[in-house]
């Protein structure tokens, strides 16, 4: 039944350091970000070395303030002369692409990790043999059989942020979103849908309020 949720990619259970497919990626990112976030401010050369090791690509002149957090690092591609302020968090189980000359304010969350909205597709038995198309472990009132052990389903969608954008402090960019070039996202916004070029968008959910020339 997982394939009904996302035919491209879906996996049951928490992605962890013990997971055969993800463990190495998660462990590598955890080790690098731990080292990064415990550097002395004077260790700028070491910081740049670790950032190059962490990310799939990081452009010349790009600054990442600390602390910084991510799932894998290698799935994140950052352009040149971009600025990422402190306490940003990237759930990069899929590709995150950030363009050139873009600013991310403090506390921005960029999320590619996702889950199905439907409870019966999000919560499945740990034992694959118990799954069936009739959801026999759920009664007619929607109650789950409590004698069964359950877990949740992970899915993922890439995120792209264009060139010369400004993502305001504490904004959240949700899975699957593409933000065009020359876009401003107001502080504290939740971006749930694609945003075209040359606009200002604010709110939760973020809505376009005017052109950005």
């Amino acid at each position: 039944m997982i394939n009904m949720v996302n035919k491209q990619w879906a996996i049951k259970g928490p992605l962890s350091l013990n997971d055969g497919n993800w463990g190495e990626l998660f462990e590598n990112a955890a080790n690098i970000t731990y080292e990064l976030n415990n550097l002395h401010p004077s260790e700028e050369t070491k910081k740049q070395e670790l950032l190059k090791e962490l990310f799939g690509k990081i452009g010349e002149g790009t600054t990442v303030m600390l602390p910084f957090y991510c799932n894998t690092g290698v799935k994140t591609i950052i352009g040149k002369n971009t600025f990422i302020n402190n306490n940003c968090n990237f759930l990069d189980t899929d590709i995150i692409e950030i363009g050139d000359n873009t600013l991310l304010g403090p506390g921005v969350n960029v999320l590619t990790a996702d889950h199905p909205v439907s409870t019966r597709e999000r919560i499945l038995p740990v034992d694959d043999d118990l799954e069936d198309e009739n959801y026999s472990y759920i009664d007619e009132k929607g109650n789950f059989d409590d004698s069964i052990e359950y877990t949740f389903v992970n899915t993922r969608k890439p995120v792209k942020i264009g060139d010369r954008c400004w993502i305001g402090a504490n904004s959240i960019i949700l899975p699957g979103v593409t933000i065009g070039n020359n876009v401003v996202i107001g502080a504290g916004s939740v971006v749930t849908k694609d945003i075209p070029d040359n606009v200002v968008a604010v709110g939760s959910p973020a809505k376009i309020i005017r052109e950005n020339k």
Side-chain angles (χ1 to χ4, degrees), residues 112-191:
T112 70
D114 206 358
H115 309 285
V117 173
S118 169
T119 304
R120 68 178 187 176
E121 293 183 353
R122 186 176 66 255
I123 305 299
L124 296 178
V126 171
D127 186 348
D128 295 342
D129 292 336
L130 295 176
E131 296 179 39
D132 60 64
E133 294 184 359
N134 296 318
Y135 301 93
S136 58
Y137 46 87
I138 308 174
D139 67 21
E140 64 278 1
K141 295 183 179 180
N143 298 311
F144 283 66
D145 182 348
D146 289 336
S147 67
I148 294 174
E149 183 180 0
Y150 296 95
T151 190
F152 57 86
V153 173
N154 299 280
T155 59
R156 63 183 185 184
K157 299 174 185 175
V159 168
K160 183 175 181 179
I161 301 172
D163 299 333
R164 299 172 300 276
C165 293
W166 176 18
I167 312 299
N170 296 314
S171 293
I172 301 173
I173 315 300
L174 292 186
V177 164
T178 293
I179 296 174
N181 299 322
N182 310 311
V183 170
V184 174
I185 302 296
S189 296
V190 180
V191 185

Side-chain angles (χ1 to χ4, degrees), residues 184 197-201 207-213:
V184 174
D197 296 345
N198 305 310
V199 297
V200 177
K207 296 182 179 180
I208 297 169
I209 60 170
R210 65 176 174 86
E211 288 185 279
N212 183 37
K213 297 182 179 180

Side-chain angles (χ1 to χ4, degrees), residues 43-116:
E43 297 180 274
E44 185 63 27
T45 299
K46 182 62 175 178
K47 175 183 175 182
Q48 296 307 316
E49 292 173 354
L50 289 170
L51 290 173
K52 289 180 180 179
E53 183 181 353
L54 176 64
F55 293 120
K57 181 180 179 181
I58 181 169
E60 184 178 353
T62 285
T63 298
V64 179
M65 302 297 288
L66 303 176
F68 171 82
Y69 306 95
C70 65
N71 282 149
T72 72
V74 297
K75 293 183 179 292
T76 293
I77 300 167
I78 307 174
K80 63 184 179 181
N81 300 319
T82 282
F83 184 87
I84 297 173
N85 217 318
N86 55 36
N87 281 308
C88 287
N89 181 39
F90 293 178
L91 296 189
D92 54 351
T93 51
D94 209 323
I95 299 296
I96 294 174
E97 184 177 351
I98 301 172
D100 301 336
N101 301 293
T102 282
L103 309 174
L104 271 65
V108 170
N109 282 268
V110 183
L111 314 178
T112 70
D114 206 358
H115 309 285

